[in-house]
Amino acid sequence: MRKPLIAGNWKMNGSRSDNKALLAGIKAGIAKAKVAEVAVCAPYIYIPQVAEQLAGTPIAWGGQNLSTEAKGAFTGEISAAMLLDFKCKYVIVGHSERRTLYGEDDALVAKKFAVAEQAGLIPILCIGETLEEREKGITEQVVARQIKAAIDEVGIATLGKGVIAYEPVWAIGTGKTASPQQAQDVHAFIRGQLAAHDKAVAEKVRIQYGGSMNAGNAKELLAMQDIDGGLIGGASLKAEDFLAICTAAG
Ligand code: PGA
C-alpha cells in the first residue's frame, strides 16, 4: 500500500509574512485532519523559516532544486548538504520549468537525482510531455526517455528510493488538468516501465500527479489506482485549498 504524498511547490512565491500565515493555516488544519503525507517545497531563502515553523509537526519540507556539486566556487548554487543542514527531507529535481527555462536536460536531472539521494534527501523526479509532444502522440516515448535517463544513472533500486511526479507540461499553471483517466493511463505506463526492471520497486514507488490539481479536482485524480499524491503549485499557496487536497488524499 503506497502512502500518498501531497507536496506543495511554492515556486518563486511568498514573503516572510505570507509564509507565516500560510504555514500557520496548514499546521492548524493538518492537526484536525487525518491526511496523507504532506510536504512543502519553498524557495531556498525561506527554508529556515519553514523549518522553524514546521519543526515538531508531521509536515516535511524540501527544496525545489539543488546543485550537482558538493561545495566550492559555484556562485548562486545550493548543495544537498545545505538543504540537509536545514532538515529538508525532499528536493524536487527536473521540474519542467527548470528543464525549459534553465536548460536542464535528462542527464543533468538524473545527476541531480543521484546527488540528492546519495546525500540522504528524497528526490522528487518530475517528468512529463509538452502539449506539442502530446499532440504528436509521443507522450509515452517522452516519459520513457526521461525515466530511462534516471535509471541509467542511478539504477532501478535507487530510483525506487525517490518519488516520481508526472506533470504534463500543458497542465502546469494553466488551469487545464489532465482528466483522471488521461493521468491514470500515463501513471500506469510509467509503473510498467519500472516493472520491466523490477516489479517490487514498481509496486512500491509513489507516482504523484502535478498540473493544476486543486481542491475541486483532487479527489477524482487521487482516486485513480496509480496516482499516489500530488505536486501542487498554485493551489499550495492558499492554506484552505492545500488542506482540501491533503484531506482528499487522506
Ligand atoms: P500547478 O503547478 O499546480 O500550479 O499547475 C504544479 C507544478 O508545477 O508542480
Side-chain angles (χ1 to χ4, degrees), residues 4-207:
L5 170 64
I6 303 295
N9 172 12
W10 290 1
K11 307 191 180 184
M12 198 173 73
N13 292 295
S15 66
R16 279 208 285 182
S17 61
D18 287 353
N19 302 343
K20 193 173 172 197
L22 174 58
L23 291 165
I26 297 172
K27 259 165 78 167
I30 288 285
K32 282 185 237 136
K34 192 175 158 287
V35 297
E37 190 179 345
V38 177
V40 295
C41 297
Y44 289 141
I45 197 164
Y46 294 127
I47 289 174
Q49 181 189 15
V50 171
E52 195 182 312
Q53 254 185 279
L54 294 184
T57 74
I59 308 163
W61 55 93
Q64 300 172 7
N65 183 28
L66 82 167
S67 172
T68 54
E69 303 294 337
K71 64 194 263 191
F74 302 101
T75 302
E77 292 291 285
I78 295 285
S79 69
M82 291 172 182
L83 294 176
L84 286 162
D85 210 8
F86 286 90
K87 300 197 163 45
C88 285
K89 180 172 179 183
Y90 293 99
V91 64
I92 298 170
V93 298
H95 188 278
S96 73
E97 286 148 19
R98 305 259 4 133
R99 291 178 189 260
T100 57
L101 303 173
Y102 300 98
E104 296 194 7
D105 61 13
D106 289 340
L108 178 64
V109 171
K111 183 95 180 99
K112 288 188 174 193
F113 186 103
V115 165
E117 193 281 329
Q118 258 165 33
L121 291 159
I122 300 177
I124 299 175
L125 172 68
C126 298
I127 60 173
E129 81 288 1
T130 61
L131 183 58
E132 200 190 339
E133 289 163 340
R134 174 160 286 261
E135 283 172 349
K136 273 198 210 149
I138 58 169
T139 296
E140 292 189 350
Q141 265 163 270
V142 171
V143 298
R145 187 202 74 218
Q146 291 168 327
I147 291 272
K148 182 177 182 300
I151 295 177
D152 287 350
E153 175 75 29
V154 300
I156 186 70
T158 298
L159 187 69
K161 293 182 186 159
V163 174
I164 294 174
Y166 167 60
E167 300 204 298
V169 179
W170 48 271
I172 296 177
T174 58
K176 243 195 239 171
T177 319
S179 71
Q181 193 57 53
Q182 266 177 330
Q184 166 60 27
D185 289 348
V186 183
H187 281 235
F189 174 79
I190 293 165
R191 209 176 294 288
Q193 294 289 297
L194 303 177
H197 293 267
D198 187 319
K199 281 206 176 73
V201 167
E203 262 316 297
K204 194 190 88 197
V205 81
R206 290 180 292 185
I207 308 176

Side-chain angles (χ1 to χ4, degrees), residues 213-244:
M213 192 188 271
N214 59 39
N217 61 29
K219 206 163 182 83
E220 265 192 323
L221 283 159
L222 294 167
M224 302 309 283
Q225 195 186 340
D226 289 294
I227 301 184
D228 311 311
L231 186 56
I232 320 298
S236 72
L237 299 173
K238 274 204 200 140
E240 197 188 324
D241 293 355
F242 187 60
L243 283 165

